[in-house]
Every structure is written in C-alpha cells, then in structure tokens.
Amino acid sequence: MSEQPPGRANGQDQQRPPRGRGQPIGQVQSLEEHVRPDWWGQIFNATYLKTDADVVEDPAITVAETDALIRALGLKPDHRILDLACGQGRHSIEMARRGFTAVEGLDRSHYLIQHARKDARAAGVQVRFREGDARKLPYPNDSFDRVILAGNSFGYFQSADDDQRVLREIARVLKPNGAFLIDVADARHLRRHLDPRSWEWIDTRQYVCRERSLSEDGSRLTTREIVADIDKGVIVDQFYSERLYDRDDLETALRNAGFKEIQFHGEHKPESAKNQDTGMMGHRVVMTGRIDKPWTPVKKPAGAGTRSVAVVLGDPRRQDLVKPGAVFDEDDYQTVDLLRSALSKLPEYRFTFLDNHDTLTRDLARRASSTDLALNLCDEGFRNDAHQELHVPALLEVAGVKYTGAGPQCLAYCYDKSLVRGAAREMGIPVAEGGFVDVGATTVDLPFGFPVIVKPNFGDSSMGITQKSVATNREELMAALAAVKQFVGSGRPVLVEQFLPGKDLSVGIIGNPPDGFHVLPITEEDYSAVPDDLPQICGYEAKWDPDSPYWGVRSVAAKISEAAETTMIQSCIRLFERLGCRDYARFDWRLDAHGTPRLLEANPNPGWCWDGHMAKMCHIAGITYPQMLGMILAAAEQRTGLRPPEPGRIHRPISSAPADLEALKAF
C-alpha cells in the first residue's frame, strides 16, 4: 500500500465509515467496481499507520530514504524544501533533525498532519505542516528550491489529467532550475511479480488481509484490504486503486510538465523488519528533474508612480565559460533569488524577468510599449558570451527601451584594458607601467623591472588571471605567457604590467556626474588569509574557486591617506564621464611602492549581486542591497527623464567595519 496521497479529505477519518470500510461485504467479482473515486480521502488514518507501520514507521527505513533523497537532490541546509504528501512527516522531521531549516510539509489528511505536528514537537524541530490539495498548492510561484513527492504518493486520482495537474503545480511553485524528486511503485515490477493475496499480523490481536488485481489494460492496480480484530471482528473493509507508472511513463509525464535533466536514481527496496508484505512500497523507482522556466514576473498593484521594469539577466540554459564547469550552479540561482527578494522591497516598481536569450529580441520588442525601463544586469553578455556584452544594450536601443547602465560604446571601450590605460594616461591619471607582449614570443625585453603580472587585454571577471600570472623573473614570465596563451589563444594581445606592491583598492560610483551621484566608500582587499608565499591578487581563484587559498580574501573599508583618496575619487569622476559610463561603475586601483594610486581598469558593468564589490561598499556606507538597486534605478530614471533630477554629490564617510557576508545576504 502507498504511504500518502497528493490529496485527502479533511478530517473525516473518525466518522461513520462509508460502505466498504467498516462493513464487510463478502466475496466480490470485481475489485474495481467497489473503489470510490475519492478513496484517498478516507483511509489515511490511525489504521493506516498500523497496517503500513513496517515501512512508514520504521526509523531505519526513514533514515535510509532521507539519505538517498538528500544525495539525489543535492540538498543544502538553506534550501526551501516542500515535502509534498508528507503523511505523518517522517521525511520532513528527519531533514529538520539534520539541520535543514526551511522544510514544509503538506498533506490532505487532517489526522496525519496533526500526527506530524505532534511528532515534530516531540523531536524538538521546527517544521511547518499544513493541509492542502496538491492539485492546487497554497503557495506563490517560485517558492521552493526543492520539492519531494516520496513514498509512492502519485497516481491516486481517477484521471491521469489530475496527476499531470499535480506535476504542473510542482513546476509552478519551484524556483527556476529548482529540482523535484518523485518515488513511485515500479509498474513493470508489480506487473511481473503481482502477489494477488497476502495476510499478516499487525500486532498480537489484529491482522490484515489483502487482495489485488490489475485492470484489463494493466494501467491500474486495485487492492482490497480487510483489517480484523480477534475479538471485534472486521474493523475495516476498504478498496483503493492506483495508476501505475514505469520509468518511461514517468519521464514523459515530467517532460510534459516542463522538467528537464531527468535522471533515474535507482530503486527503493525497503525490507520489512517483520518480514511482512510491503506491497506497493516494496519496489519503487526514484527519479529527479529540474524545472526549465523563467522567473515569474513580480506583480505589484498598478497605480500612479508605479513603473514597469524588465530585468535582463544571463541565460541559465546556456554555457557560460566564465563560470566553473561553464554552467549556472546553485550559487547563481541563489543569487538571482536574493535579487528578486531585494527587488520585491521596492514597491514603486513592477518587475518582469527576461533570461531566455533565444527569445530576448522578440521579448523586448513585444514588451517595449509597456516597459518603462530595463534593469540591465546581463554582465555575462548576450548568449553568455563576454565578447557580446555590448550586444545587450544594443538590443535594448534597437527595441526603443530605456535601460540602466553603460551603452554599447562604453562597454566596447572598457573591454579593452589597453585603451582605458591610454585614455587615463592622456588625462594625466597614473597607470602601472605596461605594454603588449606576443604570447608566442621566445624572448621578451621589458622596459621596466620585475615583478610583473600577465593578463588578457580583453575580458572581465578576472578570466585568465591566477597566482601563476605574477612573475618575478624571466623564467616565470615565459611560463605565465604560456599559461595565458591556453586561455586567449594565438594572435590575441596580452598585457604585461608592472606588479604593484601596495594596497588593492576599488572605487564605486552610483549616479551620473556632474549632476547627482554618490561616491561609495573605497574598499581594499584583505589578503591576511592568503599564504605569504603567494602573490596578493584578487584574480579568478578568489572569485570562483572555493578550494583556492584565495577564497578567504575579503573586501574591507580602505585605510589610505586623504591625498590618495582625493586623487582616486577625482580621477574616477573624470574617467566616468570620459569613458561614457552611466548610472554606476567601479574602478580598480593599486598603490605603488611610493603609495601613489595607479589605475588598473574600469568596470562600467560591475557585478550587481548581493556579495559583489558594489554591495560590500554599500554595506559599509549603511546602504542595504535593495537600496543599492533602487539607487541604480533612480539614477537611470533621472538620466532618461523618467524622474526629476536630484542635484548634489554625496561622498559617504569611510567606516572601518568589514563587509559581513551574512549581513549582506540578510538584506
């Protein structure tokens, strides 16, 4: 028998039973004729917990099944998890015991939900249990990271359309790229090993007899279950019927509901400690899938002063060579989730999210007339190609949509590090000594001394810059050139700069000089966690490799002289205007051996995420993550005429407090 269905009636378990439950009806010719359409609303009560106790009340089986679902779904402690058709909450409670802090259970049986709440209190864990129907889940869109439908809780409804409705509802409440696990009785195994009759003792006084039959087409299995007491006689005579799914059927159903990356994770074969009949719980297939969908638009009541904003993001369906493994991972999806949460705190806007680059041109054209502004956060580039970062604002301009951030020309300028260096030098802004070197050169003559750093001239996100990029002699320089050649290929310019020994600094600006803008607190990179024998650089390893010794690098409020601060701020404001930056930008600097600030590069489309450099600067200044995003939107609105200008320059004082990531994430 199954563990719990996706839908059950509310709390009628203790009332007078309908025909076929407490009143024995003798021999029948067809089991199917006696199955009530809503059978699943009647039988999941205290008797059920007795008849199926050898599986659903066995702690060892629950522990083993929880181990398996955690592995299959890659569960993390901060995932929001829905245990659908949770029954008495055995999996939910076990997950909570293990430190999963955001687990919810839903089931339609009033009796089982009450039992789950009591067990959770006894275990001293916090799990929210509620009653509800899986065909219409009581949750908003994009609510959960993971959904679990375990214990053969599928296929109970008369119509296969209702089964599909359950899967569509699961897809709806999952966040984009959220994962779903289902385990159901293996139809092939049941058809081949059908046990038409069985009986067993429940305890010393009660026993259960079961009779089973397949429908003519083999699509459903019907069971009659008689529970008797040696003194009281028949307690329950009930019938239930379940639609059978094999692996192919289940995969088709999942794909029809929008799931992709469907994987088979083997079989559950729990053994009864009492050597009893495990029925449909005894041989189950386990499958997972990820939902392929965009974020649901954040709907706010339309009214005066409410703007419609299209948020343009990278495409999670495509490869992104900047990211480890070239794919969007859980951290990326969590970053977008935190972005959505932050934007939801800006009541003057209604947000729509666009991340499908195959349809982006068409989506922008279709929404142009109803979109006030686009929040361009696609720093990955069009089709996740960093060389096509400027294509996204170009598409927005072609569609006639106003947008935040830099235009195509600015992005083209700043993608070329040497061009930025040349513009800065022309303006009298100091830069590190440097020049182009052929990656295929066998000898290199430098007009300046070691140490040096080798980096690609084109690109961002510190691609191609690692600890091996810093060279202290000619042998190391040739090795660094060989390493960067593997990244850029032949024929691409490589920049070799003098490696500066001083503090690694960043300046952030939000707004549009000269009218109204904010200069954020200057930050410096804290390399105290990096071993002394490694160069102090914030390269690819510090940003993308958690196993690297650079992963502990932190951004903290800079402690520099007033003269250096003034030089950097004035230079950044001039560069902001000269390069055509808009709304926000970040500039990276380093002090030389004499304490003179020297520009390294300009970032007109800097990282916008909750733990990025800009957010850390804002945190030091007492600006929350939602406020930072609101400031960027306001800057674009003022620049484009959507909002009256607010003249004035605010340079927030520097604080000595470090940027605490947990505090940032909590915004």
Side-chain angles (χ1 to χ4, degrees):
M1 179 171 168
S2 63
E3 178 176 358
Q4 61 266 345
R8 301 181 182 123
N10 269 336
Q12 303 300 317
D13 302 322
Q14 307 305 321
Q15 297 183 9
R16 183 174 60 84
R19 179 179 178 229
R21 289 196 69 226
Q23 301 172 358
I25 59 175
Q27 185 177 9
V28 298
Q29 296 300 315
S30 171
L31 300 184
E32 289 184 76
E33 292 179 1
H34 292 271
V35 178
R36 293 178 52 147
D38 62 346
W39 64 264
W40 35 265
Q42 308 297 327
I43 70 174
F44 292 94
N45 50 29
T47 302
Y48 153 72
L49 288 183
K50 287 184 177 181
T51 58
D52 285 34
D54 53 324
V55 174
V56 303
E57 293 282 76
D58 186 328
I61 291 176
T62 297
V63 166
E65 290 180 354
T66 304
D67 288 341
L69 66 87
I70 288 173
R71 287 193 302 269
L73 285 173
L75 292 185
K76 295 183 179 180
D78 59 351
H79 276 159
R80 191 175 179 207
I81 303 164
L82 174 60
D83 184 5
L84 184 57
C86 64
Q88 76 275 31
R90 61 192 184 98
H91 295 118
S92 299
I93 293 170
E94 179 63 23
M95 285 186 283
R97 283 194 183 104
R98 302 185 188 198
F100 292 92
T101 57
V103 183
E104 297 196 26
L106 182 137
D107 197 284
R108 191 137 181 210
S109 168
H110 177 76
Y111 174 84
L112 292 180
I113 287 296
Q114 291 299 105
H115 199 289
R117 290 169 178 163
K118 182 184 70 174
D119 286 353
R121 288 193 296 269
V125 297
Q126 294 290 327
V127 181
R128 184 185 184 189
F129 291 108
R130 62 194 298 185
E131 298 173 36
D133 189 327
R135 292 170 294 184
K136 191 174 182 180
L137 293 174
Y139 305 105
N141 298 337
D142 311 337
S143 293
F144 295 96
D145 298 286
R146 301 288 187 268
V147 175
I148 298 161
L149 187 58
N152 191 45
S153 303
F154 191 65
Y156 292 3
F157 301 113
Q158 278 193 313
S159 169
D161 290 341
D162 277 347
D163 289 350
Q164 204 63 43
R165 282 177 62 190
V166 172
L167 295 179
R168 288 196 299 268
E169 276 292 275
I170 292 168
R172 180 183 65 79
V173 302
L174 275 170
K175 298 173 184 177
N177 204 53
F180 167 52
L181 179 143
I182 184 170
D183 86 71
V184 295
D186 183 353
R188 293 179 183 175
H189 179 85
L190 281 172
R191 292 179 186 127
R192 294 171 183 169
H193 303 90
L194 179 64
D195 188 357
R197 292 178 180 84
S198 69
W199 80 277
E200 64 200 27
W201 287 98
I202 298 173
D203 53 32
T204 58
R205 305 192 65 79
Q206 294 182 349
Y207 58 92
V208 57
C209 302
R210 297 186 180 100
E211 185 178 2
R212 303 181 179 97
S213 68
L214 283 169
S215 62
E216 188 173 340
D217 62 1
S219 66
R220 298 189 71 91
L221 177 66
T222 302
T223 301
R224 180 183 187 182
E225 191 170 80
I226 301 175
V227 181
D229 185 281
I230 59 175
D231 294 323
K232 300 176 183 178
V234 173
I235 299 173
V236 170
D237 187 356
Q238 59 193 12
F239 297 78
Y240 51 90
S241 180
E242 303 178 40
R243 183 171 294 99
L244 301 180
Y245 287 86
D246 60 26
R247 285 175 54 182
D248 293 340
D249 297 331
L250 204 54
E251 181 171 354
T252 299
L254 290 171
R255 292 197 184 281
N256 288 341
F259 289 93
K260 63 177 183 178
E261 298 179 26
I262 297 169
Q263 297 183 40
F264 173 63
H265 293 272
E267 301 166 340
H268 280 333
K269 299 179 182 179
E271 294 185 2
S272 168
K274 300 177 181 179
N275 197 30
Q276 293 181 345
D277 174 18
T278 54
M280 297 186 74
M281 295 287 282
H283 201 284
R284 288 133 55 199
V285 296
V286 184
M287 299 187 80
T288 60
R290 289 189 177 271
I291 189 60
D292 183 10
K293 69 173 187 179
W295 288 98
T296 305
V298 177
K299 295 182 179 180
K300 298 180 182 293
T306 303
R307 300 202 191 283
S308 175
V309 178
V311 184
V312 184
L313 299 163
D315 190 339
R317 304 160 192 80
R318 291 177 170 270
Q319 278 196 329
D320 183 352
L321 296 179
V322 172
K323 303 181 188 300
V327 296
F328 282 66
D329 61 17
E330 290 299 322
D331 288 337
D332 295 308
Y333 287 101
Q334 183 188 45
T335 295
V336 175
D337 191 22
L338 292 169
L339 168 71
R340 285 173 57 85
S341 177
L343 292 176
S344 72
K345 295 178 173 62
L346 304 178
E348 63 270 36
Y349 303 99
R350 300 191 313 275
F351 295 100
T352 300
F353 294 82
L354 304 178
D355 64 5
N356 188 340
H357 290 196
D358 288 337
T359 63
L360 184 59
T361 303
R362 183 169 67 251
D363 292 340
L364 290 173
R366 181 167 54 89
R367 297 174 181 273
S369 61
S370 60
T371 299
D372 296 307
L373 188 69
L375 178 57
N376 178 22
L377 302 182
C378 186
D379 49 357
E380 292 90 350
F382 186 55
R383 298 195 177 100
N384 298 345
D385 183 346
H387 296 290
Q388 298 186 37
E389 186 177 12
L390 63 86
H391 290 42
V392 177
L395 288 173
L396 288 162
E397 293 191 359
V398 169
V401 177
K402 298 175 181 179
Y403 59 93
T404 64
Q409 187 64 71
C410 175
L411 292 176
Y413 285 155
C414 296
Y415 197 69
D416 186 333
K417 294 182 177 68
S418 180
L419 190 151
V420 173
R421 285 167 47 84
R425 187 183 291 111
E426 184 183 70
M427 297 167 67
I429 296 171
V431 298
E433 293 292 328
F436 283 138
V437 171
D438 182 353
V439 293
T442 55
T443 59
V444 177
D445 293 322
L446 298 176
F448 47 85
F450 290 97
V452 299
I453 183 169
V454 178
K455 52 189 175 183
N457 184 60
F458 298 107
D460 56 11
S461 299
S462 300
M463 284 291 288
I465 303 175
T466 70
Q467 58 183 286
K468 296 180 180 179
S469 300
V470 177
T472 59
N473 54 53
R474 293 190 179 277
E475 182 179 353
E476 291 178 356
L477 172 59
M478 301 311 294
L481 288 171
V484 80
K485 181 179 180 180
Q486 295 180 353
F487 172 71
V488 302
S490 301
R492 300 286 288 180
V494 173
L495 191 60
V496 178
E497 289 181 335
Q498 191 173 32
F499 182 69
L500 304 176
K503 292 186 174 183
D504 195 344
L505 306 164
S506 289
V507 179
I509 295 175
I510 298 179
N512 291 288
D515 297 324
F517 59 96
H518 302 251
V519 177
L520 301 172
I522 298 173
T523 58
E524 67 176 271
E525 300 307 293
D526 177 4
Y527 292 106
S528 59
V530 178
D532 293 338
D533 59 338
L534 294 178
Q536 295 189 351
I537 58 170
C538 188
Y540 187 85
E541 295 149 310
K543 298 175 182 178
W544 299 100
D545 184 2
D547 297 324
S548 165
Y550 287 94
W551 192 248
V553 174
R554 298 187 308 146
S555 297
V556 299
K559 295 180 180 179
I560 55 177
S561 69
E562 184 176 346
E565 178 185 350
T566 300
T567 296
M568 292 168 62
I569 290 173
Q570 291 179 348
S571 298
C572 289
I573 294 170
R574 294 170 61 205
L575 279 167
F576 192 103
E577 297 182 86
R578 172 68 179 83
L579 296 172
C581 299
R582 300 193 312 209
D583 305 332
Y584 67 118
R586 195 189 82 238
F587 300 86
D588 295 335
W589 296 73
R590 192 137 192 169
L591 302 183
D592 64 16
H594 305 291
T596 300
R598 295 184 179 273
L599 179 74
L600 299 181
E601 61 182 85
N603 298 278
N605 197 9
W608 47 265
C609 55
W610 66 274
D611 59 349
H613 278 90
M614 294 287 285
K616 293 172 184 176
M617 294 173 182
C618 286
H619 182 53
I620 292 170
I623 300 169
T624 68
Y625 183 42
Q627 288 171 340
M628 181 191 85
L629 296 168
M631 290 168 64
I632 293 171
L633 287 165
E637 289 175 308
Q638 292 165 20
R639 172 177 55 79
T640 59
L642 292 172
R643 177 187 293 223
E646 299 175 6
R649 170 181 177 273
I650 301 175
H651 176 215
R652 296 183 178 270
I654 293 176
S655 164
S656 61
D660 181 80
L661 290 185
E662 287 307 311
L664 279 168
K665 192 173 179 181
F667 283 166

